[in-house]
Amino acid sequence: MPSAAPAVAPSPQLAVAPRQAAASILSRLRDEIARIERPRLAEPAPRLSTGAGATDLLARPPQVEERRWILGDPSVDAVLSGGAGLDLCGLHEIKPDIGPEIRSQIGPQDGPQNRQAGRRREAADMASAWAAALGFALRLAARLPCRHGADGALPVHGQGGPLRTHPAPVLVIVVPVRVEREIGVLHASGLDALGLDPDRLLVVRTAKDAETAWAMEETLAARAVDGLVGLIDRLDLTMARRLALAARAQATPCLAVTAARTAPAAAAATRWRVGVAASAPHAQDPCAPGGDRITVRLERRRGSRAAGLDPLFQEPSCLEWCHEAFRFRLAA
């Protein structure tokens, strides 16, 4: 009869330190994933572990501690991280607010002509909601603190015309051509009226969502701008996480304007729902339009279990844009 095979002794390396070997494998896998996701970052990949010596992925880099990104109204800014303002190293999602009056343009009892007219009204209302969301994003971007020199400045209107007193941010705006056909093309004079210096803006036009996502990620990786505004239909889980990681690593905020009906981005530091509101009455002529107004609801704020439970944001709040001071204020 054949003799039994001799027992094989367990490997000393696996028997002595199995946990250390597994931790080493996980560490190499994390580094490899980070290298694939962010190939152009010079900093070492952030660790997701919470042990001693691990880097906190959500920690604010020291170079942004002295800067604040606020809306301008004390009651609103107090809600944002206790007055610390918006995260200068995060992804912020802005969605158009489509109310029930937009969703119910077409009824089952409508005839062909009424259905066609309802579709036209719905398209016009959706375009208005997109424009309101983009306007909110651009105004937020205009209030970004500048870190790339003071050759540009925030326009402040005074006697003798516009005065330049504060550095204007350097921005990249990524806009799909399809959205431009629906809500119009950005204009230099209009951007200047919002507090943005056209000489310090770069507008990137894309044909598809894949190109938009690529342009947004590459802009953040360059770390050559103060902020990024991108219009994209949806951010899936992977792309939202990639943008959030790039914004964190490069200390560059990303404002993503996404479609109203798509799933929200879980990696966003804040999520805003912005709608259309009637303008304020003019101080000199009640028949003329006054300051621009929008409705705003804060749906998510990182670090808060339910940002919507705050009294200020239980219902959509009406914000008015001050063209003289370039800041938001709560409408009376």
Side-chain angles (χ1 to χ4, degrees), residues 5-293:
V8 179
S11 174
Q13 294 181 349
L14 295 178
V16 173
R19 294 185 179 179
Q20 289 82 345
S24 177
I25 294 174
L26 287 176
S27 178
R28 290 198 301 270
L29 286 175
R30 291 191 183 102
D31 292 341
E32 182 66 15
I33 292 173
R35 184 189 66 81
I36 295 172
E37 287 188 343
R38 302 183 294 120
R40 296 191 178 186
L41 301 186
E43 296 86 355
R47 299 293 180 86
L48 299 180
S49 59
T50 57
T55 301
D56 185 4
L57 189 63
L58 301 181
R60 293 172 63 86
Q63 64 268 28
V64 300
E65 288 295 337
E66 69 280 1
R67 299 185 292 142
R68 286 203 311 155
W69 186 16
I70 57 178
L71 275 68
D73 188 282
S75 57
V76 178
D77 296 331
V79 178
L80 302 174
S81 302
L86 295 170
D87 188 0
L88 283 163
C89 307
L91 169 66
H92 303 274
E93 186 178 24
I94 301 171
K95 284 183 168 294
D97 188 4
I98 54 172
E101 67 279 0
I102 297 180
R103 293 191 293 265
S104 61
Q105 294 284 353
I106 305 173
Q109 72 282 358
D110 292 331
Q113 294 183 349
N114 291 337
R115 286 177 177 271
Q116 186 176 6
R119 292 190 184 97
R120 287 197 296 265
R121 292 194 302 269
E122 182 179 2
D125 291 340
M126 285 294 296
S128 300
W130 264 97
L134 175 59
F136 179 67
L138 293 175
R139 290 176 173 94
L140 282 181
R143 295 193 55 80
L144 272 169
C146 178
R147 70 179 182 191
H148 288 88
D151 52 334
L154 188 68
V156 177
H157 297 284
Q159 295 181 354
L163 302 176
R164 302 277 178 181
T165 59
H166 299 90
V170 180
L171 299 174
V172 169
I173 306 173
V174 185
V175 185
V177 176
R178 173 187 57 80
V179 175
E180 287 187 330
R181 289 196 294 262
E182 294 177 358
I183 66 176
V185 179
L186 298 175
H187 197 274
S189 60
L191 294 171
D192 185 71
L194 294 179
L196 297 169
D197 187 352
D199 293 333
R200 294 166 70 86
L201 297 178
L202 176 63
V203 179
V204 180
R205 293 182 172 90
T206 58
K208 298 180 294 184
D209 274 357
E211 296 178 359
T212 304
W214 178 87
M216 293 173 66
E217 188 175 8
E218 290 299 307
T219 299
L220 293 174
R223 199 180 183 180
V225 297
D226 292 307
L228 165 68
V229 178
L231 282 77
I232 187 169
D233 276 341
R234 65 182 296 268
L235 287 175
D236 58 26
L237 181 62
T238 301
M239 181 49 61
R241 184 174 179 272
R242 288 165 67 102
L243 292 177
L245 284 172
R248 179 66 50 187
Q250 303 297 352
T252 303
C254 175
L255 292 163
V257 184
T258 61
R261 294 187 174 97
T262 57
T270 60
R271 184 184 310 113
W272 304 80
R273 189 77 61 168
V274 181
V276 180
S279 62
H282 197 278
Q284 307 298 330
D285 185 358
C287 296
D292 298 336
R293 288 183 175 180

